């Protein structure tokens, strides 16, 4: 891929309860050269639909990203 880092984002939890959805994301930034973890972040939240909930969580992760 010719990149120095890889960002891995995983949906670590996704559950629906009636009209409420709960979700959690886990994120790791990996340095390719040494295969070392450079940054880790997690977040979770609830919403009324899956897509919007995951998008909001992804924006939280992006806002916390330290390398801008």
């Amino acid at each position: 891929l010719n990149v120095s880092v890889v960002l891995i984002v995983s949906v670590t939890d996704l559950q629906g309860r009636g009209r409420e959805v709960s979700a959690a994301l886990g994120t790791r930034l990996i340095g390719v050269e040494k295969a070392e973890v450079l940054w880790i972040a997690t977040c979770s939240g609830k919403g009324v639909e899956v897509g919007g909930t995951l998008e909001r969580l992804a924006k939280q992760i992006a806002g916390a990203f330290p390398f801008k």
Side-chain angles (χ1 to χ4, degrees):
L1 296 174
N2 197 26
V3 296
S4 58
V5 295
V6 175
L7 181 67
I8 300 170
V9 180
S10 303
V11 177
T12 58
D13 185 37
L14 183 59
Q15 299 180 20
R17 297 182 188 104
R19 295 188 59 112
E20 185 175 77
V21 173
S22 66
L25 296 180
T27 306
R28 282 178 266 139
L29 184 68
I30 309 294
V32 174
E33 185 176 322
K34 296 181 182 179
E36 63 184 332
V37 177
L38 303 173
W39 180 69
I40 296 174
T42 60
C43 66
S44 60
K46 296 180 180 179
V48 294
E49 58 99 13
V50 174
T53 302
L54 291 176
E55 181 179 351
R56 183 171 42 82
L57 294 175
K59 287 179 180 179
Q60 285 179 8
I61 293 282
F65 192 70
F67 306 100
K68 297 179 181 171

